[in-house]
Structure formats: C-alpha cells, structure tokens
Amino acid sequence: GASRGQEAAARLLQIPGVKEANWTLADLVASLGANRDADRARTSLRTELLQVVRKIEDQNFAWPFRQPVDTSEVPDYLEIIKDPIDLFTIDKRIRKGEFYKNREMLRTDLVRMALNCKEYNDPNSTYYECAVNLEKYLATVFT
C-alpha cells in the first residue's frame, strides 16, 4: 500500500491549482518528508535545550535566576539592565519553539543572564557569587 506521505501528497494533488502549478506527486512527497524532518529536528532541539535549563535550575546557585527580577522590589533594575533575561523567560521561549534556533543562541542568553547579574550587583554580594558560579557551570555545559 501507499505510505501516509504518498496518500497525503495524493490528496494535495487534488487541490485546484496544485497540478497546474506543475507540482508532481514526487515533489509533494519530498516536501512533506522535509517538513517532518524539520519538525523532528525542532523537537529534538527543544528537548535538548530544556534539559540544559533543567540542569542549571538544579544547581544550588540558580535561585536568583529562576524568575524575572521583580521591579517593584528593585525599581532601578531596568534603568541599569537594558536586556533582562531569566530562566522562566528562557523556558517559555524554548517551549514556544521558535526563538532558539540552536544551542549557541541559548548559551548567549544564559551568559547575558550572568553578566546582567554581575553588572547590577555588588561584587561582594551573594548574587554576584551566584553569577560567577553560573558562568563556571556554563563553561562545562557548553564545551
């Protein structure tokens, strides 16, 4: 029997204008297969990126990064930090599936998260220490 891809392609050929646009059954089968491969790759990337975030969240230094900075408690934060980021926002972006195209894009946000923390907080603070530990950890995750 015909594969599901061939059956779907055959249905697409019945749409008015598809044959007239010179699409063939082979073109449609190939196109559907490429879409399926792209979906699989996106799902695989999403799983991998979520695993990275989970590993970070499990670290004892991750607590300052789990939620966005509460600007009602830290009113000048957005005056100093122009591009805030946190693990909650990153997780949301990963789950949506369109923001991060690769591991490097995730790494960039995670590094920025540490740099934001170091920029805003005193070098002797616990927050700054957490950011330094995050940077060290990221060096082991992204080798």
Side-chain angles (χ1 to χ4, degrees):
S3 73
R4 283 197 320 221
Q6 287 172 322
E7 290 170 5
R11 283 193 305 275
L12 290 173
L13 272 180
Q14 303 309 309
I15 297 171
V18 173
K19 278 183 191 156
E20 293 75 6
N22 293 321
W23 281 85
T24 66
L25 188 62
D27 293 334
L28 292 168
V29 168
S31 176
L32 291 167
N35 287 343
R36 196 171 49 249
D37 291 346
D39 286 346
R40 233 182 254 123
R42 262 196 307 276
T43 300
S44 173
L45 178 65
R46 184 181 305 140
T47 301
E48 184 182 351
L49 298 182
L50 285 171
Q51 285 172 343
V52 170
V53 171
R54 289 299 151 274
K55 284 181 187 170
I56 293 167
E57 287 175 335
D58 288 344
Q59 305 306 308
N60 58 4
F61 56 75
W63 59 270
F65 307 109
R66 289 198 175 107
Q67 295 291 323
V69 170
D70 184 344
T71 53
S72 67
E73 291 178 23
V74 192
D76 67 340
Y77 186 75
L78 296 177
E79 292 167 28
I80 295 164
I81 302 303
K82 298 302 177 205
D83 199 4
I85 192 70
D86 58 90
L87 292 172
F88 178 80
T89 302
I90 288 170
D91 183 271
K92 219 164 47 176
R93 287 176 172 178
I94 294 169
R95 288 179 190 284
K96 245 184 168 169
E98 295 302 318
F99 190 84
Y100 297 108
K101 304 297 182 203
N102 53 50
R103 279 175 59 96
E104 186 57 28
M105 288 179 74
L106 174 64
R107 190 186 80 76
T108 300
D109 266 357
L110 293 167
V111 167
R112 181 163 44 94
M113 190 170 72
L115 292 175
N116 285 352
C117 184
K118 288 168 70 177
E119 183 180 344
Y120 185 82
N121 294 288
D122 183 89
N124 297 316
S125 70
T126 305
Y127 294 103
Y128 195 97
E129 185 183 332
C130 287
V132 169
N133 286 325
L134 173 61
E135 287 174 323
K136 289 177 187 169
Y137 187 75
L138 291 177
T140 69
V141 173
F142 296 92
T143 49

